[in-house]
Amino acid sequence: MNAANSTDLRFSVLGPVRAWHADRELDLGSPQQRAVLAALLLRRGHPVSLAELVDAVWGVEPPAAAVSVLRTYVSRLRKVLEPGRGPEDPPRTIVSVGDGYRARVPEQALDLAVFERRTADAAKAVAAGEESTAAQLLHDALDGWLGAALAGVPGPLAESERARLAEERLSALENRLDLDVRLGRHGQVIAELMSLTGEHPLREELCRLLMLALYRSGRQAEALAAYRGTRATLVTELGIEPGAPLRELHARILATDASLNVGDNARPMAGETPPQEPQASVTPQQRQTRPSSTSATQATAPASPAPQTKTPEPSARRPAYAPRLAQLPADLPTFTGREAELKATLGMLPLDGSAPATLVITAIGGMAGVGKTTLAVHLAHRVADRFPDGQLCVNLRGFDPTGSVMSSHEAIRVLLDALGVPPQRLPAGLEAQTALYRSVLAERRVLILLDNARDAEQVRPLLPGSPGCFVIVTSRNQLTGLVAGEGAHPLTLNQLTPAEAHEFLARRLGAARLEREPGAVDEIIARCALLPLALAVVAARAATHPDFPLSAIAEELRDSDDSLDAFAGDDITIDVRTVFSLSYEALSAPAARLFRLLGLHAGPDLSSPAAAALAGLTPRETRGLLVELTRAHLLTEYFPGRYTLHDLLRVYAAERVRAEETPRDRDLAVERMLSWYLHTAAAAYPLITPNRNPIPLDPPPASCRPLSFTTLDQAVDWCETERSNLVGAVHQAADSGQPSIAWQLPAVLWGFFYLRSHLGDWLDTTRTGLSAARAAQDSRGEARCLLDAAAALSNAKRYDEAIDHLHQAITACRQLGDADGTLRAVANLGDAYLQADKLDRAVEYSRRGLALAQAAGDIWGEGIILSNLGDGYQRLGRFDEAVDCLEQALTVLRESGNRWVEGVALDVLGTVHHRLGARERAVAYYRQALDAHRDIGNRWGEGHTLGHLGDVQLAAGEQEAADGSWRQALGIFAEFDHPDAAKMQEKLRSLQLASR
């Protein structure tokens, strides 16, 4: 790695992510910011693209402004790591490379690199016979760990790297303990080994070392007890016997082998021949005597190795009463899609097409109607030939229209009957019947489909006890008990992709019919919300009426948009409403109430605290109910603490809430939810727009618990995450008789919308709020909305409309006696005239606003207006007055802590000096402005300043630098669909033409 940066910097990832400059620890910021640093450090000097960083921090569901947030994190990390770097000095530790970054950190400055070097040196020392040196190197390497690697760092990369590094640490620890035992330190490591075998009961090497250390310490009985404990765990949890090295050591300890006291022969030393791979062990179930009706020839026949062909032969030890089993339902001829799910499940079986050597359990889960049974049956048919002893299938009726759930006792009797066990041979009691069932299946290869399970307890007795079988379980519930206790592989089905849904319809209706009406097909797919059952119902209707145009089918769906009537059917098993109801009715009463209240939420997703406000419950109570809904697949937790409802389930929830909650209870739930969004957004407002007068709000309802924030990052991240919900809440408030919330929400969000350039949302919400305030004859709300709408219009370059709104706002504020509102309207009018290039009017209103601000002692407003006035002077070519105003503005802005407008003022000073020909000073001011913009995440301002920086670079003949600045600006403007993106594209085109 390049060691050009300061050698005083040190970094740690083997524990919490930390950094030091000499002996002083640095504040690395939020967990996400540390995740960015960790991603760069783990690449060890190699570049990391922005896309890779986004994946590392957020995975597949990044926030809308992820790239903007990342750049902010990098800017802050640079300031922390290089506090003395000047504005014109390039970064030395985190440098820009292409569209990403790389960390220039010497190997000796990263604890992970030190750990890896010491473990590698230890391996060399062992190979050279220097075991004492190797042991000391490993002790030193492990002493550098300060806890779990990347502790507290979020994100997919941290999670996967934590697991990898934990394995590396454990491997090094095993090697160190092995050397300690070899070197005669067995008494010193016993306590440590006991603790480690408790933490890692399946790691046979740790057990081997513990047994050897105990034996050499004269504790033979404890060494044998350690073996018994590990063997019991392996047999119980994995169905396997310990490996050959552990079994051999056990036998030697039983024989009191004296050679164990003078050397470690259980593990090969350098140059010795390693032990052979352990042979497949025989489980206790495989040793059982077969049922008495098995022929004597079969009973005495020697066991044969399992055949490894594509079509295995049936077991030669099948009981005489067992018939050929073929209970699978017919595969669906029109089965479509699910290629990824099939590939994942087939990947759990041997690649050569043979039956598995261990018991394999797949638990297919998902919401009602998503196609679990269809996939399970199709999968079973795909692999049936691998299981020559046949296939069993039973519907456990976990969610059945009859309400009759099959008990485990009944199910096992059905299975034993299918296996040919005569009724007179059935023992009494579930436990005894389960033992018989597992004995009959021992040494047989059977595929078992357990459909429509209620829960893990219902399924557990129906699982075979020996290897070679494949069990497929389907359930609307998450069978986490099977995953945790029996090692089942979970497979959660989601709705189809649009392409799969199109193919689904084509297989049922014919591609030609779809090609005639592509628009109608797209609408049908959208209104079925990609749910296979809904698509099947609609396809059946279209297929039975081949003369109906698909546009008519789509219109039927459109007309029943707020109900499930269009998905009704004569057969209750395919009636979408009935199918949903089976899951709903299985819920506890509190969970059912929360589910139907979710039908009142207008946004695309919601958080756990928002759900708590909606239900009027504590966060703890709500989390438990959300878990219940998630396990029932009535809600999807797509990100920790964030949930989404399938579109058709949302319709069903809305039906239930209208039917089961009184109008008053519905209104109170909506009020709690909207108040939660309003008051949480109000908590973010002073951090995003400091020193602004707060918006007077009514207190929230008693059972509404808004969030609070301590940093700007927290406030902006919450607003970004909830942006769609906040916009939806404004419209829902206007539609549900809550006009105050409808205008107050945009009023507390304007700073966020401006900061992140969400111009469309800003215009949309301010217009909605203005209409609601006027309809309610709320003069104060109307005045506030006029101001906010004018700001949004001005940023959209619709200056005439903005100016008209501001004149209306001045009149409204004066009638209300609102001096602060009047000051803001006058000052903003000066800015609107400035942007409209009506410079004399701009200076006039800016000076009026300045006088009002100085009279009111409003230094925050004074700094903003001085900056605008300086910009007006520079556009008029009055440069001395411009510099004077802008320097005054910087003094006031820095005094009041207004970093936001400080960036704007610095940008204007750069423009002044550019126009005066002082290019070096212009570049210096632009770079200072970029630092200010990036400090607060002002992407809009960053884009404009990059554009200006490119202008001065081009004027200095630095075409390549100008190209780079303009491309960065274009990336920002394109990210937010800003109209200045077209201007940047035109500049880049002109630059390319000029360079030809």
Side-chain angles (χ1 to χ4, degrees), residues 71-85:
R71 293 188 188 279
T72 301
Y73 289 156
V74 170
S75 174
R76 290 174 181 163
L77 286 170
R78 284 170 167 170
K79 287 184 175 298
V80 169
L81 298 176
E82 302 178 57
R85 181 172 61 88

Side-chain angles (χ1 to χ4, degrees), residues 87-88 883-884 886-887 890 894 899 902-914 916 918-933 945-946 948-949 952:
E88 298 182 12
V883 170
D884 183 53
L886 291 165
E887 288 179 348
L890 285 176
R894 287 166 177 165
R899 186 74 163 148
E902 182 185 347
V904 176
L906 288 165
D907 178 272
V908 179
L909 272 169
T911 300
V912 170
H913 288 287
H914 181 200
L916 289 171
R919 289 170 185 156
E920 290 185 4
R921 296 197 67 185
V923 168
Y925 277 121
Y926 285 143
R927 295 200 182 280
Q928 291 180 55
L930 286 172
D931 286 341
H933 296 321
T945 298
L946 283 167
H948 296 156
L949 178 60
V952 74

Side-chain angles (χ1 to χ4, degrees), residues 87 192 323 364 448 480 484 613 909:
E192 186 177 5
I364 302 177
I448 303 165
T480 50
L909 272 169

Side-chain angles (χ1 to χ4, degrees), residues 170 183 385 399 574 580 583 625 640 662 669 707 729 808 817 982 994:
L170 195 53
L183 293 166
D385 62 339
F399 300 86
I574 60 167
F580 285 171
S583 296
L625 300 180
T662 67
L707 303 179
Q808 293 181 56

Side-chain angles (χ1 to χ4, degrees), residues 251-282:
R252 294 173 68 187
I253 290 174
L254 280 172
T256 320
D257 187 340
S259 66
L260 289 176
N261 288 316
V262 295
D264 183 3
N265 298 317
R267 178 176 178 175
M269 296 287 289
E272 293 181 350
T273 303
Q276 298 299 310
E277 288 294 319
Q279 300 300 311
S281 57
V282 180

Side-chain angles (χ1 to χ4, degrees), residues 699-787:
S703 53
C704 171
R705 300 170 180 83
L707 303 179
S708 59
F709 308 100
T710 57
T711 67
L712 173 63
D713 281 351
Q714 290 177 351
V716 173
D717 286 350
W718 180 85
C719 289
E720 193 64 69
T721 301
E722 297 287 355
R723 177 161 62 96
S724 295
N725 289 319
L726 291 166
V727 173
V730 172
H731 289 281
Q732 189 170 3
D735 294 338
S736 61
Q738 300 277 353
S740 294
I741 295 178
W743 72 259
Q744 289 167 346
L745 249 181
V748 296
L749 288 170
W750 76 265
F752 163 70
F753 287 144
Y754 174 82
L755 187 65
R756 286 302 174 90
S757 299
H758 296 309
L759 191 53
D761 291 338
W762 192 4
L763 284 166
D764 178 29
T765 53
T766 53
R767 284 175 168 174
T768 301
L770 180 58
S771 297
R774 283 174 169 167
Q777 298 183 337
D778 183 340
S779 301
R780 188 168 297 278
E782 180 182 358
R784 177 70 199 213
C785 285
L786 283 166
L787 283 166

Side-chain angles (χ1 to χ4, degrees), residues 16-319:
V17 174
R18 303 166 70 189
W20 295 264
H21 189 279
D23 294 328
R24 180 174 61 85
E25 184 167 1
L26 306 177
D27 181 1
L28 297 178
S30 67
Q32 286 82 5
Q33 191 163 301
R34 290 170 188 261
V36 173
L37 177 60
L40 295 170
L41 292 173
L42 289 170
R43 288 295 287 270
R44 312 288 283 277
H46 294 287
V48 186
S49 69
L50 286 172
E52 290 173 315
L53 286 172
V54 169
D55 287 342
V57 179
W58 293 287
V60 296
E61 293 288 346
V67 173
S68 168
V69 175
L70 279 177
R71 293 188 188 279
T72 301
Y73 289 156
V74 170
S75 174
R76 290 174 181 163
L77 286 170
R78 284 170 167 170
K79 287 184 175 298
V80 169
L81 298 176
E82 302 178 57
R85 181 172 61 88
E88 298 182 12
D89 298 329
R92 298 187 305 276
T93 304
I94 299 178
V95 298
S96 298
V97 179
D99 74 333
Y101 306 94
R102 71 181 179 97
R104 298 168 64 190
V105 176
E107 289 282 349
Q108 69 272 16
L110 179 64
D111 61 352
L112 173 58
V114 174
F115 169 77
E116 291 175 344
R117 187 182 69 247
R118 286 173 175 165
T119 54
D121 289 347
K124 293 176 183 177
V126 169
E130 301 171 358
E131 293 186 343
S132 180
T133 300
Q136 186 58 54
L137 283 166
L138 288 173
H139 274 278
D140 293 343
L142 291 162
D143 285 345
W145 284 71
L146 302 175
L150 307 170
V153 175
L157 176 69
E159 185 176 347
S160 63
E161 286 295 302
R162 246 192 306 274
R164 179 183 71 81
L165 293 172
E167 178 60 30
E168 286 193 15
R169 178 182 180 276
L170 195 53
S171 178
L173 190 54
E174 286 177 339
N175 291 336
R176 194 218 83 201
L177 289 164
D178 182 32
L179 287 167
D180 284 342
V181 172
R182 290 172 186 250
L183 293 166
R185 302 168 186 161
H186 40 269
Q188 302 170 26
V189 298
I190 287 175
E192 186 177 5
L193 280 165
M194 284 182 168
S195 174
L196 287 168
T197 53
E199 293 176 23
H200 308 282
L202 301 179
R203 263 186 116 91
E204 295 185 39
E205 175 64 4
L206 291 173
C207 178
R208 185 190 71 82
L209 291 171
L210 176 60
M211 290 168 63
L212 189 57
L214 287 168
Y215 182 75
R216 288 185 176 179
S217 300
R219 298 159 68 173
Q220 181 183 20
E222 292 176 74
L224 295 171
Y227 175 82
R228 288 195 299 273
T230 295
R231 179 186 177 277
T233 300
L234 291 170
V235 170
T236 301
E237 296 194 13
L238 303 180
I240 62 172
E241 292 285 345
L246 207 57
R247 295 200 308 271
E248 180 187 346
L249 180 59
H250 176 244
R252 294 173 68 187
I253 290 174
L254 280 172
T256 320
D257 187 340
S259 66
L260 289 176
N261 288 316
V262 295
D264 183 3
N265 298 317
R267 178 176 178 175
M269 296 287 289
E272 293 181 350
T273 303
Q276 298 299 310
E277 288 294 319
Q279 300 300 311
S281 57
V282 180
T283 65
Q285 292 90 337
Q286 291 171 325
R287 298 194 190 99
Q288 291 179 6
T289 302
R290 305 307 296 156
S292 58
S293 58
T294 305
S295 69
T297 302
Q298 290 171 329
T300 58
S304 300
Q308 298 295 310
T309 62
K310 285 284 183 180
T311 307
E313 294 297 323
S315 170
R317 304 187 63 184
R318 180 192 296 168

